[in-house]
Each structure stands twice: as structure tokens, then as C-alpha cells.
Amino acid sequence: MTIQLTPEDEKLIQERLRTGAFQSVEEVIHRALVSLPVPEAPPKEPRKNLADFLMESPFAGAELDLERRKQYVRPIEL
């Protein structure tokens, strides 16, 4: 991987190397990355039920009847 550093970042890395606390540029970058906090995942929105979803969708106002109908048994002739 190749990266380009700003002159300010390069200067900071060189200063860290001069102090003797780090042996290489890679070590400076690794330590910096490890010390960063792990970003939190955005909170998930609770799932909506079908009726709420349809009422907020382009189908809102289509006068959909979302009531469940009782199933009637059809007579079967044998």
C-alpha cells in the first residue's frame, strides 16, 4: 500500500522517530491506528410492521384494506 502524507504529518512522524520511542514509520502508524477508537455502528431503526410500512409508502392513500379476512371453507362436492 502506498500512502501520501501531508508535510505536517511527515514532520510529526519524524519527530516521533527522533525521540527513539519508535523504530520505524510503520510502527508509528500502527500505534496511531491501534489507539483510535472503533467507530460505533449507527443505531438500527426498529422494524416497522407491514401496515406502518405501507402507510408511509407510495401506496398510502390507495385505500388498501389491511384487515385480515376470515377464511371461509368452500363446499366440495364429492
Side-chain angles (χ1 to χ4, degrees):
M1 177 186 299
T2 303
I3 61 172
Q4 291 186 342
L5 299 172
T6 63
E8 296 84 15
D9 291 340
E10 190 172 348
K11 183 179 176 184
L12 286 171
I13 290 173
Q14 291 301 329
E15 288 175 11
R16 299 302 190 274
L17 291 172
R18 260 188 250 116
T19 65
F22 299 97
Q23 302 300 315
S24 67
V25 173
E26 290 81 6
E27 187 179 354
V28 175
I29 293 172
H30 177 74
R31 184 81 62 89
L33 292 172
V34 169
S35 68
L36 289 173
V38 176
E40 294 182 18
K44 291 184 178 179
E45 292 184 25
R47 291 187 176 203
K48 299 177 183 178
N49 63 35
L50 180 60
D52 289 341
F53 173 77
L54 291 175
M55 295 311 284
E56 295 173 1
S57 76
F59 299 111
E63 298 185 25
L64 296 174
D65 183 7
L66 300 175
E67 292 296 318
R68 184 172 219 149
R69 305 231 189 310
K70 182 177 178 182
Q71 294 181 351
Y72 295 99
V73 178
R74 294 185 299 208
I76 301 175
E77 292 187 35
L78 300 174

